[in-house]
Amino acid sequence: MRILFMGTPEFAVPSLDVLVKYHEVIGIFTKVDKINKRGKKIEYLPVKQYAIDKNIPIYQPESLKTKEIQNIIKELNPELIVVVAYGKIIPKEIIEIPKYGIINVHSSLLPKFRGAAPINAALIEGEEKSGVTIMYIAEGLDTGDIILSKATEITEEDDFLSLHDRLKEIGAEALKEAVDLIGKGQNERIPQDEEKATFVKPFKKEDLKIDWSNTKEKIFNFVRGLSPVPCSWTYHEDKILKVYQVKKQDKIYENGEIGEVVDKVKGKGPVVKVKNGSIIITSAKPESKKILSGADLLNGNFVKIGDILK
């Protein structure tokens, strides 16, 4: 099948790779290159680098709304367009071009967690499972009919990175299955239940701040759902302390106040008092420092008993 691919980050690469192996990928659309601020060098994003390595034609338009870009897609004459974490809204004029429409690999079990950051959201909300949905692109945000979904259990050890890496592989497998079904005319179109839909907005800096007045379970899920990116944080001595990993403790401390470092666990890290127990900070990054283990936070005297985190 003649396929035009639209995607940008690492999450999209396994899906693109599977299409290259089994179909004719006639081009890729990806977001414009980023400039490395330190070296002022252009950094190719993962999908573009893959396309360069595989000699696939590359298009990086600022917008998909121009007649010029729409005419280019018409000339390419794709039978199907596949979108995976492209980062741009697809206008109606393009949706109508390919014979088999446009499908998207979305990293949640729709209709839950439409929009941005669905992987982070599943962890933050304490979901027991996550997954990938292959859906048709429609004019609304992630509202299109579902072709198929594949689920995976979320474990206590999962954080954003581990779940992201698992879902990108599951997404590639699901995409291959969906494209095969479309080619055979055996694909389903299952409407989404709008009453069950939830939405995730892009994170702002303040959204990533830890609320120590929450329960230990909520704080644990919040931290791991944002680790390692975009990363949760707290104020420590009026400076930002980025928090990458924590552990829950049932132990309730009578001394101290919520958000105060009330104890330390040798070899693990500082203990913070929270609503229904305590949290051990096992990995964090003080300003202008590298990421440190909880033990190093204590040994370097970066965090001490009596410090207030807020």
Side-chain angles (χ1 to χ4, degrees), residues 31-232:
K31 292 180 80 172
V32 296
D33 302 315
K34 288 185 176 180
I35 296 177
N36 183 307
K37 291 181 180 178
R38 291 183 180 177
K40 293 185 178 179
K41 295 179 180 178
I42 292 176
E43 291 184 342
Y44 293 153
L45 292 165
V47 164
K48 180 174 181 178
Q49 188 59 59
Y50 180 96
I52 291 170
D53 295 342
K54 296 289 186 180
N55 252 342
I56 303 170
I58 298 166
Y59 304 86
Q60 295 178 276
E62 291 282 356
S63 172
L64 297 177
K65 295 179 181 179
T66 67
K67 286 289 184 184
E68 180 186 0
I69 292 301
Q70 292 164 17
N71 287 334
I72 287 173
I73 294 175
K74 286 177 183 177
E75 289 171 11
L76 288 169
N77 192 28
E79 294 176 277
L80 178 70
I81 296 177
V82 173
V83 179
V84 188
Y86 180 34
K88 289 183 180 292
I89 299 295
I90 313 297
K92 180 182 178 182
E93 291 80 4
I94 292 178
I95 295 174
E96 295 173 346
I97 292 173
K99 174 182 177 182
Y100 295 115
I102 305 181
I103 63 172
N104 177 45
V105 179
H106 185 78
S107 52
S108 81
L109 297 173
L110 290 171
K112 207 163 195 176
F113 305 132
R114 291 176 178 174
I119 301 175
N120 304 96
L123 288 159
I124 291 170
E125 294 298 321
E127 296 291 306
E128 295 182 354
K129 64 180 180 179
S130 182
V132 170
T133 301
I134 312 298
M135 52 165 283
Y136 281 97
I137 291 283
E139 288 189 77
L141 180 62
D142 299 328
T143 58
D145 293 343
I146 293 170
I147 301 172
L148 59 89
S149 297
K150 289 189 179 292
T152 182
E153 298 297 317
I154 294 177
T155 71
E156 281 277 301
E157 288 72 38
D158 274 320
D159 60 9
F160 166 75
L161 184 60
S162 66
L163 186 55
H164 167 280
D165 287 353
R166 194 154 75 249
L167 289 179
K168 72 181 182 182
E169 301 299 336
I170 293 171
E173 295 169 10
L175 176 62
K176 181 183 182 302
E177 184 178 336
V179 174
D180 289 346
L181 289 171
I182 290 169
K184 296 173 184 176
Q186 297 174 355
N187 57 294
E188 292 190 84
R189 294 193 68 131
I190 305 165
Q192 295 188 41
D193 186 344
E194 292 297 322
E195 291 185 359
K196 295 181 179 179
T198 61
F199 298 85
V200 187
K201 295 180 180 179
F203 292 116
K204 297 178 181 178
K205 181 181 176 180
E206 282 300 311
D207 298 330
L208 310 177
K209 187 170 179 285
I210 298 170
D211 180 358
W212 296 104
S213 68
N214 269 327
T215 64
K216 61 182 183 293
E217 292 82 10
K218 285 187 176 181
I219 294 170
F220 172 76
N221 286 331
F222 185 78
V223 171
R224 69 178 180 142
L226 299 170
S227 181
V229 288
C231 195
S232 63

